[in-house]
Amino acid sequence: GTSVGEGLLKQSLQAGMKEIIPYAIETGCTIETTNQSQAKPIHKCRVINGVLVMTNYSINETTYKLANKTTRNQTVYLDHPKTGGYTLIEPAKPEEEIADYYRFKMELAAGKNVEFKIQERMETSNQIYLQNISTDQIRFHLSQSPLSSGAKNLLKALEETMGLVVEQQRIYREAQIESSRLSEDQNRFRQNMNALNTGNPKERDLRDKYVEKLEKVEDRMAELKGTMMETQEKLNQLQGELIKKIQGFNED
């Protein structure tokens, strides 16, 4: 004859179905919840159509701290919301599954505290296009990722070719910088020559010296232009080799 609370059915029940109806709050029991997520190391790494695909697990762990402050034993049903895309791994199996929830059952002794952990796992993948990969990324995956022997050989070959690319880029850049500096010298010599009086013997001698310097500058600039053209050809060739190696590889 005494009301202990009220509750509502979440769904219409058919024959054989069961439902737990919450009707009041047990103030003598408390629950604290903490959650943390972490990414596990890469456990699978494959090269597919010129793309390095790295697969690892993302772990979502929820810890429930239950405290029974009453003087009687309690049976606790814990409904844990499912996390989209994740699979339950700990505990291996719930008491039962209901819509959007895992339900766990535990006995909570009088005056006792219990810590209950639930782990869910989702497999995630990241991708790197090998044409955009850096040498630092190659070194990392060679040392850390579980690659097949064929994929390792491919990355080593790419690293070697990319090293040659970097060297040719250095040669081209240095030639470009020197050529730019010589161009400035060339303009300055010509301006100085235009300001000289050719009727003055001393200034005529000075002009001859500028002419000699200009000839040396122009010869060097011609050499640098040839170096830059040759280097660009080598860069194009190396880039072609990189693409050929990437496109020609098939994972075993």
Side-chain angles (χ1 to χ4, degrees), residues 42 44-56 123-134 137 140-141 145 147 155:
I42 296 169
K44 185 167 61 177
C45 196
R46 291 175 57 83
V47 175
I48 303 173
N49 297 326
V51 179
L52 182 65
V53 182
M54 301 150 289
T55 306
N56 69 312
E123 194 172 55
T124 60
S125 295
N126 293 306
Q127 300 180 349
I128 298 178
Y129 287 91
L130 290 180
Q131 287 184 226
N132 301 328
I133 199 170
S134 68
Q137 289 173 317
F140 171 81
H141 290 295
S145 301
L147 293 160
L155 291 186

Side-chain angles (χ1 to χ4, degrees), residues 193 206-217:
M193 288 172 61
L206 184 57
R207 185 181 186 281
D208 292 339
K209 291 181 181 179
Y210 278 129
V211 169
E212 184 180 353
K213 288 182 179 180
L214 270 174
E215 289 176 350
K216 291 181 179 179
V217 166

Side-chain angles (χ1 to χ4, degrees), residues 21 40 46 85 112 118 127 156 187 195 216 239 241:
I21 305 174
K40 291 293 185 179
R46 291 175 57 83
K112 297 296 183 179
I118 297 174
Q127 300 180 349
K156 289 177 181 177
N187 291 332
K216 291 181 179 179
Q239 293 291 350
E241 289 179 9

Side-chain angles (χ1 to χ4, degrees), residues 129-190:
Y129 287 91
L130 290 180
Q131 287 184 226
N132 301 328
I133 199 170
S134 68
T135 52
D136 287 340
Q137 289 173 317
I138 288 176
R139 294 189 190 105
F140 171 81
H141 290 295
L142 283 173
S143 63
Q144 301 291 331
S145 301
L147 293 160
S148 67
S149 58
K152 285 184 178 179
N153 291 335
L154 172 65
L155 291 186
K156 289 177 181 177
L158 293 181
E159 182 182 17
E160 181 179 353
T161 304
M162 289 170 68
L164 297 175
V165 169
V166 170
E167 176 62 17
Q168 292 302 313
Q169 288 173 336
R170 181 191 64 79
I171 294 172
Y172 186 93
R173 185 171 57 254
E174 290 180 355
Q176 193 176 42
I177 292 172
E178 184 180 356
S179 181
S180 178
R181 179 178 58 79
L182 290 174
S183 179
E184 293 176 358
D185 291 343
Q186 186 182 53
N187 291 332
R188 187 174 65 255
F189 293 156
R190 286 173 176 168

Side-chain angles (χ1 to χ4, degrees), residues 203-242:
E203 292 191 4
R204 188 166 55 246
D205 291 341
L206 184 57
R207 185 181 186 281
D208 292 339
K209 291 181 181 179
Y210 278 129
V211 169
E212 184 180 353
K213 288 182 179 180
L214 270 174
E215 289 176 350
K216 291 181 179 179
V217 166
E218 289 171 354
D219 289 343
R220 179 56 181 162
M221 289 179 70
E223 290 178 8
L224 292 171
K225 184 178 180 180
T227 298
M228 292 168 67
M229 291 178 63
E230 181 182 352
T231 303
Q232 188 61 58
E233 289 178 1
K234 289 182 179 179
L235 282 171
N236 293 338
Q237 179 183 350
L238 290 170
Q239 293 291 350
E241 289 179 9
L242 283 172

